[in-house]
């Protein structure tokens, strides 16, 4: 029942919310938001297990698939669409599914989250397979769409992770790994777009970023597979090459041109003296890891 969920209980600090001054309310809201990071920290052991599963999936040719409804679905989608420009992945490698389809990102699709069968249909549409990993996201931990998706994923042998904001969640019971971040009651009762949504975003940030580090998308703390799709990212690519090799702006620009605008390849070329073809081959042998490529 909803009344038994932490995400649905009333916050004692805001019982007179409608009588507070703007500054009073914002102060309380900020104090409550400050609790989110600590709540996420408590789940790091489970988040770490999930990252290991995601890295394994990627190395097996599988995909990371987020599935959720409403705010939770939007957070998964947001993380998915940021991966190609940041890490140079294809749009098919990290996928976000939301109950009701892409149109639900902007406007709620009534009843979509209540269907387990819809999740099965959506996963079949993208040809879910046993090499993939499905991360179900639901603040309440009881959304039927997410439960259905996790059930189907298990049926075909895909790995499963649940991200919720209540302990002992239903989606957690359906998944191999349960990440259950308990943030306490929202300042606005039941409005899980607040602390719950913030914690889910933090968890997704961890899952995708740490996993990309695990498959060689990062050198030091530099996003060496960034795609130069606009002026800002072209300049960022040059700075990345400069930081990684201590070269000049002009050298970075030259090598990026010669490496087909790949910071990773440009870095290996500069640090090893390899040609473009040799750098590509060395990175292939090193499974995409720059550090390994320049040490061989």
């Amino acid at each position: 029942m909803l009344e038994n969920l932490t995400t649905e209980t009333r916050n004692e600090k805001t019982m007179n919310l409608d009588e507070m001054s703007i500054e009073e309310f914002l102060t309380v809201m900020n104090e409550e938001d400050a609790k989110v990071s600590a709540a996420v920290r408590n789940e790091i052991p489970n988040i770490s297990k999930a990252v290991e599963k995601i890295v394994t999936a990627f190395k097996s040719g599988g995909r990371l698939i987020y599935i959720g409804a409403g705010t939770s679905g939007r957070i998964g989608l947001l993380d998915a669409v940021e991966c190609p420009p940041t890490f140079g992945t294809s749009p098919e490698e990290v996928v976000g599914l939301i109950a009701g389809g892409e149109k639900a990102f902007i406007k709620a699709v009534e009843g979509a989250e209540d269907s387990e069968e819809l999740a099965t249909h959506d996963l079949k549409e993208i040809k879910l397979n046993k090499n993939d990993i499905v991360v179900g996201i639901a603040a309440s931990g009881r959304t039927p769409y997410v439960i259905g998706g996790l059930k189907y994923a298990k049926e075909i042998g895909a790995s499963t992770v649940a991200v919720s904001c209540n302990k002992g969640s239903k989606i957690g019971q359906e998944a191999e790994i349960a990440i259950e971040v308990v943030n306490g009651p929202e300042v606005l009762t039941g409005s899980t777009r607040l602390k719950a949504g913030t914690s889910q975003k933090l968890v997704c940030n961890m899952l995708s970023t740490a996993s990309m580090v695990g498959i060689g998308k990062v050198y030091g703390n530099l996003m060496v597979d960034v795609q130069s799709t606009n002026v800002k990212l072209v300049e960022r690519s040059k700075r990345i090459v400069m930081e990684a090799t201590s070269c000049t702006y002009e050298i970075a620009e030259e090598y990026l041109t010669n490496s087909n605008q790949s910071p990773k390849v440009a870095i290996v070329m500069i640090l090893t003296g390899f040609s473009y073809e040799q750098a590509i081959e060395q990175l292939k042998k090193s499974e995409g890891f720059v550090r390994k490529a320049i040490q061989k």
Side-chain angles (χ1 to χ4, degrees):
M1 299 295 288
L2 283 178
E3 60 265 25
N4 297 323
L5 302 177
T6 302
T7 49
E8 296 294 328
T9 55
R10 297 182 71 185
N11 192 314
E12 294 293 330
K13 293 182 179 180
T14 56
M15 297 296 276
N16 63 332
L17 175 59
D18 57 336
E19 297 178 314
M20 288 181 174
S21 70
I22 293 172
E23 190 166 338
E24 285 174 335
F25 170 57
L26 295 179
T27 299
V28 172
M29 189 171 185
N30 179 250
E31 290 171 352
E32 289 296 297
D33 286 343
K35 298 176 181 178
V36 175
S37 181
V40 171
R41 187 182 306 121
N42 291 334
E43 286 298 300
I44 285 179
N46 290 323
I47 298 169
S48 179
K49 291 175 185 176
V51 170
E52 290 174 0
K53 288 277 189 182
I54 296 168
V55 170
T56 298
F58 282 145
K59 288 184 175 181
S60 302
R63 300 166 292 175
L64 166 58
I65 299 165
Y66 292 116
I67 185 167
T71 297
S72 299
R74 294 181 185 101
I75 288 169
L77 266 172
L78 180 62
D79 199 65
V81 300
E82 290 290 348
C83 286
T86 306
F87 299 110
T89 58
S90 74
E92 290 76 32
E93 286 181 82
V94 184
V95 180
L97 297 179
I98 183 170
E102 291 182 2
K103 61 185 178 183
F105 189 87
I106 298 173
K107 185 177 181 181
V109 176
E110 298 301 327
E113 71 173 63
D114 297 326
S115 172
E116 289 190 20
E117 294 74 20
L118 181 59
T120 299
H121 171 271
D122 289 348
L123 289 170
K124 285 182 177 178
E125 280 285 298
I126 63 167
K127 295 180 172 56
L128 182 74
N129 66 76
K130 65 181 181 180
N131 293 325
D132 297 328
I133 181 166
V134 175
V135 177
I137 312 172
S140 67
R142 62 190 293 277
T143 305
Y145 179 79
V146 178
I147 292 172
L150 292 171
K151 284 182 177 178
Y152 177 68
K154 283 196 301 182
E155 284 177 18
I156 67 167
S159 296
T160 52
V161 176
V163 180
S164 72
C165 298
N166 286 295
K167 285 296 182 185
S169 66
K170 288 186 177 180
I171 66 170
Q173 293 166 19
E174 293 292 343
E176 295 172 68
I177 300 168
I179 299 168
E180 298 175 329
V181 183
V182 181
N183 305 286
E186 302 286 4
V187 293
L188 183 63
T189 307
S191 183
T192 52
R193 68 187 180 86
L194 301 176
K195 287 192 296 184
T198 299
S199 68
Q200 290 171 331
K201 181 64 170 71
L202 292 177
V203 170
C204 287
N205 286 350
M206 288 178 160
L207 294 177
S208 58
T209 306
S211 299
M212 293 298 169
V213 173
I215 60 171
K217 296 290 185 179
V218 174
Y219 175 51
N221 61 355
L222 300 171
M223 53 175 85
V224 291
D225 271 324
V226 65
Q227 293 184 343
S228 302
T229 54
N230 57 44
V231 173
K232 178 189 73 175
L233 294 179
V234 167
E235 290 304 307
R236 179 177 291 166
S237 295
K238 294 172 187 175
R239 292 200 308 274
I240 287 170
V241 174
M242 291 167 66
E243 289 286 344
T245 66
S246 299
C247 73
T248 64
Y249 181 92
E250 290 74 21
I251 292 293
E253 189 171 43
E254 176 188 345
Y255 274 83
L256 278 169
T257 299
N258 295 337
S259 65
N260 198 27
Q261 296 301 316
S262 169
K264 174 182 281 186
V265 176
I267 291 166
V268 173
M269 289 171 68
I270 292 171
L271 294 180
T272 63
F274 286 160
S275 67
Y276 173 74
E277 291 77 14
Q278 289 172 320
I280 291 288
E281 183 61 27
Q282 189 72 356
L283 280 165
K284 188 180 297 183
K285 291 178 181 177
S286 303
E287 299 179 309
F289 287 86
V290 170
R291 197 172 299 279
K292 292 179 182 179
I294 63 176
Q295 289 174 346
K296 291 187 176 180

